Amino acid sequence: MCGGKGTRLESAHEKPLHPIAGTPMVDRVLSGLAASRLETIYTAVSPNAPETRAHLEATDGVTTIETAGEGYVADLMSLLERPDLSPPLLTVAADLPLLEAPVVDRVLEAHGDSDASRTVCVPVALKRRLGVSIDTRFESADHLAPTGVNVVGTASDSTSMIDVHYDTRLAVNVNRLEDARIAADRLARSAEGR
């Protein structure tokens, strides 16, 4: 999902193209997805991010799909109406530059053959400890923050599960410049083995 406006980031770039340690954020996400056990990768783009669309259309291994850019939920709903995309679908926001294949595979393994939908969350306390922004919480569980990773299942009712992960790679959503700085710092520390 990479068609949002990204106004909170205040970047000179469209949000998915904002560089994290010199690499566009969306490329870091795509790298994690490509190395996972996923079979096909689609990118949801919109008129809000024309440079991102052009970038992704020139990227091997992904197929772009146009959405209206009316917000995450509205764009996701339009994707689910497409006959060529049928659940279960893993959805991932383009603002998770620390995402890696083992994290994706762990989410897929937890889902298994379930027909339920899953929302992957992290504790708000983890986001606070990392110093990253907390823009959304669950009303029923305000100690949890959604990560931007979900599995949309096939169940026709409202069956939904919340998976809680204590993984910094899921906790760093880049919504503000400070989040981008923290992500770049964590990548540098990881490269140094710290």
Side-chain angles (χ1 to χ4, degrees):
M1 303 292 290
C2 43
K5 293 179 182 176
T7 54
R8 293 174 291 181
L9 185 55
E10 299 177 357
S11 174
H13 305 275
E14 292 174 356
K15 184 176 181 179
L17 297 179
H18 184 83
I20 305 294
T23 301
M25 188 163 29
V26 70
D27 288 353
R28 292 191 174 281
V29 173
L30 288 172
S31 178
L33 294 174
S36 76
R37 67 179 203 176
L38 287 173
E39 296 172 13
T40 308
I41 300 172
Y42 297 93
T43 55
V45 297
S46 81
N48 295 326
E51 292 172 23
T52 299
R53 171 201 314 267
H55 177 80
L56 293 170
E57 286 175 347
T59 301
D60 290 334
V62 299
T63 302
T64 58
I65 298 175
E66 176 76 22
T67 65
E70 296 174 353
Y72 186 88
V73 173
D75 288 352
L76 177 59
M77 297 309 289
S78 73
L79 292 175
L80 293 175
E81 293 171 0
R82 294 176 56 100
D84 57 331
L85 295 179
S86 58
L89 295 173
L90 177 74
T91 64
V92 178
D95 63 0
L96 293 167
L98 305 182
L99 189 69
E100 295 178 338
V103 177
V104 175
D105 290 341
R106 200 166 50 245
V107 169
L108 295 172
E109 184 178 319
H111 183 71
D113 294 330
S114 172
D115 61 351
S117 291
R118 305 180 101 69
T119 301
V120 178
C121 302
V122 294
V124 168
L126 174 59
K127 290 180 81 73
R128 279 195 187 115
R129 183 174 61 79
L130 294 169
V132 295
S133 61
I134 304 166
D135 295 308
T136 308
R137 299 180 193 207
F138 286 104
E139 283 185 30
S140 60
D142 71 346
H143 65 289
L144 296 176
T147 62
V149 176
N150 301 283
V151 178
V152 179
T154 58
S156 59
D157 61 9
S158 62
T159 304
S160 182
M161 304 180 89
I162 293 177
D163 288 345
V164 179
H165 292 257
Y166 298 85
D167 193 321
T168 58
R169 295 169 292 185
L170 288 167
V172 181
N173 295 77
V174 174
N175 290 311
R176 292 176 172 69
L177 288 176
E178 179 63 11
D179 299 336
R181 188 199 61 73
I182 291 168
D185 181 57
R186 294 205 67 82
L187 285 168
R189 290 172 37 189
S190 176
E192 294 171 0
R194 295 189 287 152

